[in-house]
Amino acid sequence: MEKRLRLAPSPTGLFHIGTARTALFNWLYAQKIGGKFLIRIEDTDFLRSKSEYTNNILEGLQWLGLKWDEEPIKQSDRISTHKKHIKKLLESGAAYRCFTTDDEISELREEQKKKGLPPRHDNRHRNLSKEEIETFISKGRTSVIRFKIDEKIQIKWLDQIRGEIKWQGKDLGGDLVLSRRAKGYEIGDPLYNLAVVVDDNFMNITHVVRGEDHISNTAKQILIYEALNFKLPTFSHTPLILNSEGKKLSKRDCVTSIDEFRDMGYLPEALANYMAFLGWSPKSAVSEILTLNEISKTFDLSDINKAGAKFSWEKLNWINSQYIRNMDSVKLSEVICRYWDNLGWNPPSKEWAIKLVILIKDSMTLLKDSIDQSKPFFLLPPIQKEGKDFLETKDSKASLKLILSYLTEQKTVKLTKEKAKEIIKEISKIHNVKKGILMKSLRVAFFGSLSGPDLIQSWELLAESKSDISRIERCLKLI
Ligand code: GLU
């Protein structure tokens, strides 16, 4: 039988890292077992669902490289099917109309609160006669459909991550509401637990992998599966992602949407690689830098931890820096050129851009670090105090003058790295100036300070963008 997994996001917000990690675990396992990864957009909360969030989720999945195998299904397109199944449950006696009003429910809650009891419906309309139903309807009372939950029942399943899970019927809050209020004999809009079961069955889902916050829903859903005579999938409940204080990662932790990670300059491959290790611990030691295809080969649901997974910026940053370092320089330069373009910085040539990227990539953690690192190659940097102090020394000024006259005399020569080294060597020898002084003076002229990227490689780049000579002249004017 074909193995089928799915992500069932509710488009009520931007694509969240928690949902993305659930998607990733589903995708990895589908790859591992040669199954399919599907999407169902659970957009039946009409007040909160927005099509821009659906687009954001789908774009985020694509960006992370998590391709789905079939056209995504929209839950809102399937409401009539959900209702048909509710009708079936009504007809079989597994569900019934409940006319309890909101005021009556609040009263019940108040009483329970006073007694220190958890909220739970008292199933008061479970056995209404036809006549009693008729009377409620004739009085204009609206009704929800409730699914009977036997208090004495124990629901058990073998969770692929957590082992055997047992849940008592009495702990499920009373008979379960399947649909919103409706008038007369109508059936209102179907609710989550019913819709999920009907849709997972329709999509032939064989493995449900979702967050641990759904464990109690699974207990309820298993009862609906049984009442509808549907084949049960296997269930796996993944651990939550926690912040540094050990609490559930939330919007309060600043960055939670996949967009934000992208905008901060994380590479999709790096973020996906990091997310895979958020809760997954492979049996045997593996490298921490792995492609998704590599991970899918060793990945198993049983290697996912039960305990929450702490989010670590440090680890994510390290992984990202490794990806930047190992990324093909031509490809990386294309990505970085977009940052430069946004700032109106124009590299003199493609080759120049690649060379600059090679020069700075080892010192980058995030893509946007490329802005600070490359800025002195596009904009004239101010001369800082340490630079000024150094330029005040006699040798420094003389050094710059020697280099300048050398360069102006040999105008036509293309300055390569080799040529740059040769110039330093020659001047040092002929004029008896220390190489270190020559290099430091040049560094101040180029970058305004005594630190910065490799001087010789920088010189080649600045010569190509025709600003090495002008930077030296500027310095000489300043002293
Ligand atoms: N729409 C639910 C959510 O976003 C899906 C839960 C499930 O996977 O069944 O939490």
Side-chain angles (χ1 to χ4, degrees):
M1 196 170 85
E2 186 175 61
K3 312 271 188 355
R4 292 164 72 84
L5 291 95
R6 63 18 170 215
L7 178 77
S10 305
T12 52
L14 295 172
F15 191 28
H16 185 271
I17 178 141
T19 316
R21 206 259 329 238
T22 303
L24 177 61
F25 284 167
N26 274 280
W27 185 92
L28 286 168
Y29 196 59
Q31 294 290 306
K32 155 100 181 175
I33 59 175
K36 292 215 160 129
F37 171 61
L38 314 170
I39 307 288
R40 180 175 68 243
I41 301 294
E42 302 210 317
D43 57 345
T44 47
D45 180 344
F46 298 113
L47 288 176
R48 293 168 62 225
S49 298
K50 288 197 178 128
S51 61
E52 60 249 45
Y53 292 141
T54 299
N55 295 340
N56 181 265
I57 293 166
L58 296 178
E59 279 162 19
L61 285 165
Q62 250 160 347
W63 182 73
L64 287 168
L66 306 178
K67 283 206 192 103
W68 52 93
D69 294 304
E70 289 173 12
E71 191 58 29
I73 286 201
K74 258 170 73 184
Q75 195 159 58
S76 58
D77 289 342
R78 298 189 28 81
I79 293 177
S80 61
T81 312
H82 303 145
K83 288 190 179 176
K84 259 186 224 155
H85 285 88
I86 297 179
K87 215 167 150 222
K88 260 193 202 166
L89 292 170
L90 272 175
E91 283 163 4
S92 71
Y96 62 90
R97 279 189 189 278
C98 172
F99 295 89
T100 324
T101 61
D102 287 340
D103 286 347
E104 286 167 345
I105 291 180
S106 310
E107 245 171 62
L108 179 67
R109 293 276 143 86
E110 281 311 308
E111 270 173 44
Q112 288 167 337
K113 245 191 223 165
K114 270 187 219 149
K115 291 184 193 151
L117 297 169
R120 139 169 245 293
H121 194 67
D122 58 5
N123 310 337
R124 61 182 71 172
H125 291 166
R126 215 192 231 200
N127 297 309
L128 291 182
S129 66
K130 267 193 183 156
E131 291 69 35
E132 285 170 314
I133 293 178
E134 193 68 62
T135 315
F136 273 133
I137 290 180
S138 64
K139 282 187 185 157
R141 277 231 205 170
T142 54
S143 63
V144 300
I145 310 294
R146 280 191 190 263
F147 177 73
K148 290 180 190 166
I149 294 187
D150 181 355
E151 280 184 21
K152 291 191 202 82
I153 207 169
Q154 185 185 58
I155 304 126
K156 265 199 297 194
W157 74 91
L158 189 66
D159 195 282
Q160 307 291 292
I161 296 173
R162 286 153 204 272
E164 187 174 74
I165 298 186
K166 287 184 195 157
W167 208 278
Q168 309 302 325
K170 69 174 172 47
D171 296 331
L172 290 176
D175 290 346
L176 174 70
V177 182
L178 298 182
S179 63
R180 290 201 177 87
R181 286 187 182 287
K183 282 190 204 134
Y185 285 99
E186 278 170 34
I187 294 173
D189 289 332
L191 293 173
Y192 166 71
N193 281 301
L194 179 281
V196 163
V197 172
V198 171
D199 291 347
D200 279 341
N201 177 72
F202 168 75
M203 291 166 77
N204 293 316
I205 298 303
T206 53
H207 298 69
V208 170
V209 180
R210 60 186 168 200
E212 67 171 316
D213 43 334
H214 285 289
I215 291 183
S216 69
N217 284 328
T218 298
K220 295 170 188 167
Q221 289 171 21
I222 287 177
L223 295 175
I224 303 177
Y225 270 96
E226 286 168 353
L228 286 171
N229 237 336
F230 287 165
K231 194 170 179 322
L232 277 172
T234 64
F235 291 99
S236 308
H237 292 91
T238 59
L240 293 177
I241 303 180
L242 308 174
N243 65 15
S244 54
E245 288 150 25
K247 300 211 178 86
K248 184 177 169 179
L249 194 76
S250 71
K251 284 200 184 110
R252 259 166 279 132
D253 295 299
C254 299
V255 182
T256 47
S257 88
I258 295 300
D259 274 8
E260 288 168 297
F261 285 99
R262 187 198 54 206
D263 295 346
M264 280 175 76
Y266 289 100
L267 286 165
E269 298 84 358
L271 184 58
N273 184 159
Y274 171 68
M275 284 196 304
F277 283 97
L278 256 181
W280 171 65
S281 325
K283 275 188 201 75
S284 47
V286 289
S287 154
E288 287 183 300
I289 304 295
L290 291 172
T291 65
L292 292 186
N293 280 328
E294 285 165 340
I295 294 174
S296 73
K297 295 203 174 90
T298 35
F299 185 81
D300 210 330
L301 291 172
S302 57
D303 294 335
I304 294 176
N305 308 326
K306 295 187 198 78
K310 244 190 198 166
F311 188 89
S312 158
W313 286 105
E314 209 181 321
K315 179 97 179 275
L316 172 61
N317 285 342
W318 178 78
I319 291 185
N320 206 54
S321 69
Q322 297 303 304
Y323 272 85
I324 290 179
R325 199 168 283 207
N326 298 331
M327 192 167 165
D328 172 73
S329 301
V330 177
K331 218 170 128 196
L332 183 59
S333 76
E334 281 161 12
V335 177
I336 291 179
C337 273
R338 270 178 248 141
Y339 283 80
W340 294 340
D341 211 36
N342 284 341
L343 293 161
W345 296 354
N346 299 315
S349 71
K350 229 173 154 179
E351 291 66 37
W352 186 91
I354 296 167
K355 273 192 229 162
L356 177 52
V357 164
I358 293 172
L359 181 61
I360 61 173
K361 74 181 196 176
D362 284 1
S363 47
M364 282 167 59
T365 299
L366 300 171
L367 287 175
K368 69 172 184 195
D369 292 342
S370 60
I371 298 177
D372 278 349
Q373 306 280 352
S374 56
K375 192 174 176 179
F377 290 87
F378 291 101
L379 307 176
L380 204 56
I383 309 278
Q384 290 168 16
K385 177 151 187 332
E386 60 164 14
K388 261 187 204 135
D389 291 348
F390 188 78
L391 289 180
E392 300 299 340
T393 62
K394 192 170 94 249
D395 283 353
S396 166
K397 191 173 178 175
S399 298
L400 284 181
K401 275 187 184 157
L402 290 171
I403 299 169
L404 183 64
S405 55
Y406 192 105
L407 291 176
T408 37
E409 269 162 34
Q410 303 207 6
K411 242 181 200 152
T412 49
V413 179
K414 182 173 163 18
L415 193 127
T416 58
K417 275 182 286 187
E418 294 66 35
K419 182 73 196 164
K421 277 187 211 155
E422 208 183 292
I423 296 174
I424 298 284
K425 208 168 150 192
E426 245 183 82
I427 299 180
S428 156
K429 204 166 152 197
I430 301 169
H431 300 280
N432 197 21
V433 197
K434 280 190 185 133
K435 269 195 211 164
I437 303 277
L438 287 168
M439 306 259 279
K440 274 190 186 160
S441 313
L442 259 186
R443 192 177 277 291
V444 175
F446 291 164
F447 300 121
S449 72
L450 292 171
S451 57
D454 181 272
L455 184 81
I456 298 295
Q457 291 183 43
S458 303
W459 191 358
E460 186 185 70
L461 287 166
L462 289 171
E464 223 170 307
S465 62
K466 306 210 167 21
S467 73
D468 59 335
I469 295 180
S470 60
R471 287 184 187 205
I472 298 172
E473 284 169 343
R474 168 186 75 150
C475 264
L476 286 171
K477 265 187 218 144
L478 277 174
I479 332 168

